[in-house]
């Protein structure tokens, strides 16, 4: 069906997918990965990562807190996929809050939500776009695990939420069997903030086992502790599976990228870009922990979110502060994208439409914002 197009607008700070910038980073109770590196043949994962290539997030839509993708006034429109493809992108990332409307008694997803997401995946694939689909904003699971403001670890509630999460993944992964293995990547959990690295490690691996059983040929994407920080790859124990990708989110420094989202509005005076050095160090860490059998590569890497809240849609505009300029916003994004490409990473910019100032595209005007898509397609 053609979804009703709602009037779109920038939304409040409660709705960011990239919500880790202002959060207090907990201290790990885990010991991290101290095992001896075992080379793996990552040919399948590398091949899929190349298909992802340069991508963009369709955020603040299916992961919004409502019954469909329009609760935050940024629904995915059928024509968006053609616009994205025409700009030169290879893939889209579709964040989904699968637990919304789910049945806890039967551990099943809302059938309307599943149908809507599948519809959007079909539209993306019809345009020749590869798709990453994930579990996003699973606040109930994170909170039961002790992550989030006012949350403390509750073992009983956590195990119950985890069981629900795993059962939903079994259903979602099975439904993704409609698509060919080279069309869809399954990302386990966006930005886990559970303040215990061992708990996150176990959760990721338990979910991996469920997904792999239901989708034996699909590429599975992992994220790490501290809300998907690349440097916390060392806190995971990835399975010896060559058809996986490790994804990190990159907004460094938050004092520039997240102005107006818990950080002072200092405008371009706060501009810093260290993407070249940072991403190179992440590749080095991945090679040390998860080398490829070819002796050259490592576990494939994806930069699943990156961006700057700036320009005319920056929240600084209504906070009586100076926002990052549109030109500098694009320049920062380009440096990060260039560093990703240089280091063999796929990427997904946050985000396409109305995403709290991170926007690359203006849906109402049907035009790309200043510097885009050129900052990402070069």
């Amino acid at each position: 069906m053609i979804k009703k197009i709602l009037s779109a607008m920038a939304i409040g700070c409660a709705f960011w997918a990239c919500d880790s910038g202002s959060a207090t980073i907990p201290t790990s109770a885990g010991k991290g990965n101290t095992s001896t590196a075992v080379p793996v043949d990552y040919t399948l994962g590398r091949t899929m990562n190349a298909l992802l290539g340069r991508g963009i997030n369709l955020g603040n839509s299916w992961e919004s807190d409502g019954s469909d993708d329009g609760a935050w006034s940024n629904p995915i429109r059928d024509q968006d996929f053609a616009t994205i493809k025409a700009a030169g992108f290879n893939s889209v990332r579709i964040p989904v809050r699968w637990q919304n409307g789910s049945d806890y008694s039967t551990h099943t997803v809302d059938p309307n939500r599943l149908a809507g997401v599948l519809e959007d995946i079909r539209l993306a694939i019809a345009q020749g776009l590869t798709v990453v689909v994930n579990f996003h904003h699973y606040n109930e699971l994170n909170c039961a695990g002790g992550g989030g403001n006012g949350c403390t670890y509750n073992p009983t509630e956590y195990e119950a939420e985890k069981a629900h999460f795993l059962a939903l993944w079994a259903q979602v992964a099975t439904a993704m069997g409609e698509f060919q293995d080279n069309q869809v990547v399954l990302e386990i959990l966006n930005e886990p903030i559970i303040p215990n690295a061992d708990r996150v490690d176990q959760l990721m691996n338990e979910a991996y086992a469920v997904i792999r059983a239901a989708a034996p040929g699909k590429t599975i994407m992992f994220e790490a502790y501290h809300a998907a920080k690349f440097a916390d790859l060392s806190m995971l124990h990835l399975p010896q599976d060559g058809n996986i990708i490790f994804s990190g989110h990159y907004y460094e420094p938050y004092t520039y990228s997240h102005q107006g989202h818990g950080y002072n509005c200092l405008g371009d005076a706060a501009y810093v870009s260290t993407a070249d050095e940072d991403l190179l160090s992440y590749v080095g860490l991945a090679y040390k922990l998860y080398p490829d059998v070819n002796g050259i590569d490592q576990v494939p890497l994806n930069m699943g979110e990156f961006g700057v809240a700036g320009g005319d849609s920056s929240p600084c505009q209504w906070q009586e502060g100076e926002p990052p300029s549109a030109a500098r916003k694009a320049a920062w994004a380009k440096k990060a994208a260039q560093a990703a490409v240089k280091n063999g990473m796929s990427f997904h910019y946050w985000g396409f439409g109305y995403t709290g100032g991170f926007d690359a595209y203006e849906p109402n005007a049907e035009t790309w914002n200043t510097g885009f898509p050129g900052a990402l397609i070069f």
Side-chain angles (χ1 to χ4, degrees):
M1 70 175 179
I2 303 298
K3 295 189 292 291
K4 181 180 179 181
I5 300 174
L6 305 176
S7 60
M9 61 182 180
I11 60 176
C13 63
F15 303 145
W16 313 141
C18 43
D19 57 1
S20 62
S22 59
T24 300
I25 300 298
T27 300
S28 170
K31 297 178 181 178
N33 189 345
T34 59
S35 58
T36 302
V38 177
V40 172
D41 182 354
Y42 289 112
T43 299
L44 289 174
R46 284 202 312 275
T47 300
M48 196 67 202
N49 209 33
L51 291 176
L52 293 180
R54 306 181 193 207
I56 197 162
N57 278 277
L58 291 169
N60 285 11
S61 300
W62 282 113
E63 87 280 22
S64 61
D65 192 10
S67 61
D68 59 19
D69 62 341
W72 291 349
S73 300
N74 189 44
I76 298 172
R77 308 168 308 163
D78 293 356
Q79 67 264 36
D80 291 339
F81 300 101
T83 298
I84 291 168
K85 181 63 177 180
F89 290 96
N90 308 113
S91 63
V92 292
R93 179 174 180 254
I94 302 179
V96 185
R97 195 185 296 228
W98 289 105
Q99 75 275 22
N100 262 33
S102 64
D103 188 330
Y104 273 76
S105 65
T106 60
H107 298 304
T108 52
V109 300
D110 176 2
N112 293 325
R113 178 169 294 263
L114 178 60
V117 174
L118 290 174
E119 174 194 351
D120 282 338
I121 295 174
R122 294 184 198 111
L123 290 170
I125 291 172
Q127 291 295 330
L129 295 165
T130 307
V131 178
V132 177
V133 64
N134 75 0
F135 271 63
H136 207 97
H137 285 326
Y138 205 131
N139 299 333
E140 299 88 344
L141 179 63
N142 278 308
C143 188
N149 292 332
C151 298
T152 57
Y153 175 50
N154 183 310
T156 301
E157 291 182 6
Y158 176 70
E159 291 301 322
E161 281 295 344
K162 184 172 72 170
H164 190 58
F165 169 66
L166 296 177
L168 294 184
W169 246 130
Q171 183 186 0
V172 171
T174 299
M176 295 302 153
E178 170 185 338
F179 309 109
Q180 296 179 20
D181 290 342
N182 64 353
Q183 294 176 325
V184 175
V185 171
L186 306 180
E187 177 190 335
I188 298 173
L189 180 64
N190 175 75
E191 296 188 349
I193 58 171
I194 294 168
N196 182 294
D198 291 338
R199 197 172 298 141
V200 172
D201 188 30
Q202 181 181 17
L203 176 65
M204 286 289 176
N205 278 282
E206 288 185 29
Y208 158 81
V210 169
I211 297 166
R212 180 55 78 224
K218 292 289 190 293
T219 304
I220 299 175
M221 185 175 282
F222 284 76
E223 291 185 14
Y225 182 62
H226 282 163
K229 295 295 187 290
F230 275 109
D232 283 305
L233 174 58
S234 60
M235 305 307 291
L236 283 178
H237 292 82
L238 296 179
Q240 293 180 27
D241 181 337
N243 198 12
I244 63 174
I245 296 171
F246 176 71
S247 180
H249 294 179
Y250 185 76
Y251 292 102
E252 307 301 333
Y254 282 86
T255 50
Y256 181 69
S257 69
H258 277 60
Q259 293 181 57
H261 296 290
Y263 290 86
N264 292 334
C265 294
L266 303 175
D268 289 343
Y271 178 86
V272 177
S273 174
T274 57
D276 280 335
E277 305 95 308
D278 293 343
L279 269 60
L280 180 61
S281 72
Y282 303 149
V283 171
L285 176 63
Y287 182 80
K288 176 183 177 182
L289 295 173
Y290 298 103
D292 194 289
V293 294
N294 65 16
I296 299 171
D297 298 302
Q298 69 290 317
V299 62
L301 300 175
N302 162 262
M303 187 164 63
E305 290 185 20
F306 67 107
V308 171
D312 292 340
S313 57
S314 165
C316 291
Q317 297 285 3
W318 60 86
Q319 293 182 23
E320 299 182 356
E322 183 71 20
S325 67
R328 279 290 198 172
K329 167 184 172 178
W332 185 96
K334 186 168 187 176
K335 282 185 174 293
Q338 287 175 326
V341 171
K342 181 180 179 181
N343 286 286
M345 297 183 184
S346 61
F347 67 70
H348 293 92
Y349 178 80
W350 187 273
F352 175 68
Y354 299 113
T355 47
F358 295 88
D359 332 2
Y361 190 79
E362 170 52 64
N364 279 345
E366 299 293 358
T367 185
W368 290 94
N369 288 330
T370 300
F372 293 89
L376 308 172
I377 307 297
F378 41 82

